[in-house]
């Protein structure tokens, strides 16, 4: 008898829905204090997951949910670079 593997799930910080980990995007606060997009899911640091939906991304950042989850204040230039990294990552996977 084979055992089914359990699919790891995470909660989106913006919409609070649990989804399979593979469907979410990971944002990390590194030990050095930088906030980066983690496209591979292996960057060291405190991570937070967001949906790939643009509306959820904007909502989570604008309400400070991402700041709260990462326990750091994220400046506008970092938000812009995260948004660009996520957009290019999604475009690469949609092609």
């Amino acid at each position: 008898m084979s055992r089914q593997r359990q699919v790891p799930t995470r909660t989106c910080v913006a919409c609070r829905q649990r989804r399979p980990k593979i469907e979410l995007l990971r944002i990390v606060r590194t030990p050095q204090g930088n906030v980066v997009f983690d496209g591979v899911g292996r960057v060291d640091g405190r991570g937070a997951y967001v949906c790939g939906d643009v509306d959820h991304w904007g909502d989570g950042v604008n309400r400070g949910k991402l700041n709260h989850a990462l326990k750091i204040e994220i400046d506008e230039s970092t938000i812009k670079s995260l948004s660009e990294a996520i957009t290019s990552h999604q475009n690469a996977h949609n092609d």
Side-chain angles (χ1 to χ4, degrees), residues 10-93:
R10 299 292 184 268
T11 302
C12 171
V13 297
C15 68
R16 306 299 301 162
Q17 286 188 348
R18 290 187 64 80
R19 298 177 189 254
K21 181 180 172 182
I22 192 116
E23 292 179 10
L24 297 172
L25 305 170
R26 186 170 186 247
I27 310 298
V28 178
R29 183 196 62 190
T30 64
Q32 295 78 23
N34 300 322
V35 177
V36 297
F37 170 64
D38 181 8
V40 294
R42 298 191 188 270
V43 174
D44 286 342
R46 182 176 184 84
Y49 292 87
V50 293
C51 296
D53 186 0
V54 176
D55 295 334
H56 289 171
W57 169 246
D59 183 46
V61 171
N62 292 338
R63 288 190 176 178
K65 293 177 182 180
L66 189 58
N67 291 343
H68 181 74
L70 295 177
K71 297 183 179 180
I72 193 170
E73 191 66 33
I74 304 172
D75 60 22
E76 288 298 320
S77 64
T78 303
I79 291 171
K80 184 177 178 180
S81 66
L82 287 173
S83 181
E84 290 170 359
I86 288 170
T87 301
S88 65
H89 175 77
Q90 289 178 326
N91 289 339
H93 282 127

